[in-house]
Amino acid sequence: MMDRRNGGVDIEGVLVGRGELAVVRDGARLVSVVGAGVAVCLWAEGRQVAAMAHFLEPRTGDAERSFARYGNVAVPEVVRLVRDEDPHGTIEAQIFGGAQEYQGDLRGERNLDMAEMVLAKRRIEISSRDVGGTKGRKVVFDGKTGQVAVMKVHKLRKEDWQA
């Protein structure tokens, strides 16, 4: 579990940075800012376990670089962590981000495709999504209720777009 840090003005919770994942078991909020990256939020209601993976690139084939920056690593790992906590429960997924920074930018679309593919392969239904477009998003995921608040923003810091 990650340390609790201020996620912005009046938003307290576990800040999930780019290329990070987090799991909370105490109803804490998970907070992230996504541009072309994707935040995958998972919630196991039976055990009130919430998790978020924020990845920036769809895939890596290099075992030396297998970490949460890549969707083909981060999404299976966050699913595994939630299933370890609640092996027989239903997991609900919500996905956010995948925006287009500039005309012709396909990073977000590729990231979304990876998230959807990994979740489908693991038979996890995506119950909600706010994806695509040209605006970044601030995501606040309530670990107690499984509800998510998404704020679309006109401007993101340059590093929030970087893959």
Side-chain angles (χ1 to χ4, degrees), residues 60 84 91 94 117 126 129:
T60 181
D84 284 352
I91 298 173
Q94 300 182 65
M117 181 187 73
I126 300 170
R129 67 183 75 220

Side-chain angles (χ1 to χ4, degrees), residues 10-11 22 32 47 52 58 73 76 86 89 105 126 130 141 144 148 151 154:
D10 296 327
I11 300 173
S32 196
R47 297 270 173 101
M52 181 188 290
V73 176
D86 192 3
D105 179 15
I126 300 170
D130 189 328
F141 179 30
K144 186 173 186 176
V148 177
M151 296 165 266
H154 295 291

Side-chain angles (χ1 to χ4, degrees), residues 40-44 49-52 78-79 82 91-93 119 124 141:
V40 175
C41 301
L42 301 177
W43 191 56
V49 174
M52 181 188 290
V78 79
V79 168
V82 173
I91 298 173
E92 174 184 296
L119 292 169
I124 296 174
F141 179 30

